[in-house]
Amino acid sequence: MAIGGTRLDNPSAVGDEGRPRGASLTVIAVVVVAVLAAAGYLVGKPLMFTSFALFVGFMSAGMALLSRDRLQSTVLGHLLFLPSAVVLSALVGASGLLGLATPGVAALAVGALAAMFGVTAGWNDAFDQPTVRTTLVESGLSYLLFVVWLIVLGVFVGLGLLGRGVVLSLTRGAGSVVSFFGLFGLLAIAAFCLYVAVRAFPAIELTPVHRRDAARARYRRLKSTLLRLTAVAGIAVVVGFLGLVTGTIQPLLSVPFVGGPIVVLTRLTAIPLASVATLALIMAVLAWVTRRATAGFENLSTRTVGAAVAAVCYSVALLASIPTFLRLGYIGVAFFYLVPVLPLLVYLGLVGVVIGFATGMLPGRAASPAVVAAGLVAMGLGGAMYGFPSLFVFAAVTGALVTWDVGTFGLSVTAELGHIPETRRLELYHGVVAVGIGLVAVAGLTVIDLARRSVGSGIGSPTTMGLAVLGVVLVAVGLRG
């Protein structure tokens, strides 16, 4: 009876109290969709409050997948959770700013997101203390690695642009002093990068066994030669700096048969030396990554590797979106710098949820129905402030009570019978009764409201209804289970 498709888990154990049975969750989902559709109809946009349901579903699915042990599931969980959570956090932030002008719309939007998340988290069994803590740790690790990737990439891009400018200036013909430092500096860098690449590349392991002794001797000589060349070039640079300080290098390089050949040699070798250094460094990095991925994989947990892979994907996606951001002008550039900061809002919210579980503010056994009920209550409060008809306010608050009752009943059935026995008829009977009682309550409150209007009483004003909704919240907090 799953309206959201196959669950991400396969529950079977008696006493598995993670979330209600499927029929109870279906009743909760129908009530939530009805309230969201009614709110959208009243504002003139029927799909306004359900347009972000896909991101909410992705976020809860990502939270469920992050608790898996397989690498593919973990990586997919990262890629589903954090981007969706960033989009939703931006929406919540925009709702907060909008709340300064129209608090009713902000309460409606946040309440709708909370209600939808509670439904999807119930289907995915993704809103308990262990799952939220795992999500916080795993996604936080991927974000940290993402920031590290950006910093490293920024450093390499900066060094590349700086080196490109230096090489181009040398090839155009610089002065004799600049050419001297450029020639020996590039020679030292290229020799050292080659030495690092030779050490990182597993050439000995790839050599046949009967030829490895000779190969080791050749590689020792090669590494020794590269180190000597690096040292000679480095000493030349140091001597050049000393000569620059003492003022002796300028007269020496002013001699035509000394400075002239150095300038010509620098113009001819600047690009080749820079290319050799770059390729050697790339080869060394690739060799190191390959060694770590093959030899060191067993020492790393699957979740750590998944976080690293997700961080690389985040970096690539952000870099690929640079042209799009640039086409948007100043707004795009501002958003480009804002995107890496938005996950901090997500993690702040997760920390708040963990604290809520630890302090008992969120019921550990019935968190999903509680979030659904809180979201519908917030929508009722927002509808009262926005000026919706009293019928919507009554329906939203009554829907919150119905979802809480149906959800806790489904949880009690799960705790007693597990997920193997067929209990759909029992759950549907209880759900229909609860919805029927809610409809009767809404009808009765609507009649009372009409009677109030006929005598001109101010008891049912939007302000009074809002206070009544707050009273329901306090009662619900007192009765949470």
Side-chain angles (χ1 to χ4, degrees):
M1 184 147 183
I3 63 173
T6 305
R7 286 175 174 174
L8 295 180
D9 56 356
N10 186 22
S12 60
V14 175
D16 181 4
E17 303 179 12
R19 70 279 182 278
R21 295 290 297 261
S24 300
L25 282 171
T26 301
V27 174
I28 294 174
V30 171
V31 173
V32 171
V33 171
V35 175
L36 293 178
Y41 175 78
L42 290 174
V43 298
K45 298 179 180 179
L47 299 180
M48 176 178 178
F49 295 103
T50 58
S51 56
F52 289 91
L54 182 63
F55 293 101
V56 176
F58 282 164
M59 184 176 72
S60 65
M63 293 176 66
L65 289 173
L66 283 175
S67 299
R68 298 289 185 88
D69 295 326
R70 297 183 60 185
L71 179 61
Q72 298 91 328
S73 300
T74 303
V75 174
L76 181 59
H78 282 292
L79 299 181
L80 287 177
F81 171 73
L82 190 58
S84 303
V86 167
V87 172
L88 295 176
S89 66
L91 180 62
V92 171
S95 300
L97 296 177
L98 184 63
L100 300 177
T102 53
V105 175
L108 285 169
V110 175
L113 292 177
M116 289 188 292
F117 174 75
V119 172
T120 57
W123 282 106
N124 296 327
D125 191 15
F127 199 60
D128 52 22
Q129 189 171 2
T131 302
V132 175
R133 187 183 294 112
T134 300
T135 302
L136 176 61
V137 174
E138 298 298 325
S139 185
L141 178 60
S142 69
Y143 175 73
L144 179 62
L145 294 176
F146 166 65
V147 173
V148 172
W149 277 114
L150 287 183
I151 293 175
V152 172
L153 189 60
V155 170
F156 275 101
V157 170
L159 291 176
L161 293 176
L162 178 62
R164 178 176 177 272
V166 171
V167 171
L168 290 178
S169 65
L170 292 175
T171 55
R172 293 191 185 101
S176 58
V177 177
V178 175
S179 297
F180 173 84
F181 285 108
L183 175 62
F184 287 101
L186 287 175
L187 183 60
I189 294 174
F192 182 74
C193 290
L194 280 174
Y195 173 78
V196 173
V198 169
R199 283 187 60 88
F201 192 75
I204 303 298
E205 290 81 354
L206 298 176
T207 304
V209 178
H210 65 280
R211 296 164 59 182
R212 287 187 179 180
D213 293 336
R216 288 193 183 93
R218 286 197 302 271
Y219 273 91
R220 279 197 297 268
R221 289 194 297 271
L222 177 60
K223 289 187 289 186
S224 177
T225 302
L226 290 174
L227 281 178
R228 291 194 186 95
L229 184 58
T230 303
V232 170
I235 292 173
V237 172
V238 173
V239 171
F241 274 113
L242 293 177
L244 193 62
V245 173
T246 58
T248 57
I249 189 173
Q250 182 69 37
L252 178 62
L253 294 178
S254 299
V255 179
F257 63 86
V258 176
I262 290 179
V263 172
V264 174
L265 187 60
T266 303
R267 295 182 62 180
L268 294 176
T269 59
I271 293 179
L273 287 175
S275 301
V276 168
T278 303
L279 294 176
L281 189 60
I282 292 175
M283 187 176 70
V285 171
L286 291 178
W288 181 83
V289 171
T290 304
R291 282 178 178 270
R292 296 295 300 176
T294 54
F297 182 78
E298 295 180 355
N299 297 327
L300 298 174
S301 66
T302 301
R303 294 179 177 178
T304 303
V305 177
V309 174
V312 174
C313 295
Y314 298 151
S315 304
V316 172
L318 186 62
L319 293 177
S321 63
I322 289 178
T324 303
F325 288 128
L326 293 178
R327 282 195 294 268
L328 297 176
Y330 292 107
I331 297 178
V333 174
F335 191 72
F336 174 78
Y337 286 105
L338 184 63
V339 165
V341 182
L342 287 177
L344 297 178
L345 299 178
V346 177
Y347 301 134
L348 183 63
L350 290 177
V351 170
V353 172
V354 171
I355 294 175
F357 278 118
T359 58
M361 295 180 62
L362 283 173
R365 189 172 67 91
S368 296
V371 171
V372 175
L376 293 181
V377 169
M379 292 193 71
L381 179 61
M385 293 187 293
Y386 190 73
F388 281 176
S390 56
L391 177 62
F392 173 83
V393 181
F394 299 148
V397 177
T398 304
L401 298 178
V402 169
T403 56
W404 174 257
D405 177 73
V406 173
T408 52
F409 177 78
L411 283 168
S412 64
V413 172
T414 303
E416 295 177 5
L417 302 178
H419 290 275
I420 294 179
E422 180 59 48
T423 59
R424 182 180 303 176
R425 185 172 299 178
L426 174 64
E427 294 176 81
L428 287 179
Y429 175 78
H430 181 86
V432 169
V433 171
V435 172
I437 294 174
L439 292 176
V440 172
V442 172
L445 291 173
T446 303
V447 171
I448 294 175
D449 183 64
L450 292 176
R452 186 272 308 171
R453 292 185 180 182
S454 64
V455 298
S457 174
I459 296 177
S461 62
T463 303
T464 307
M465 288 191 294
L467 293 176
V469 171
L470 289 177
V472 172
V473 174
L474 295 177
V475 173
V477 171
L479 296 177
R480 72 186 188 276

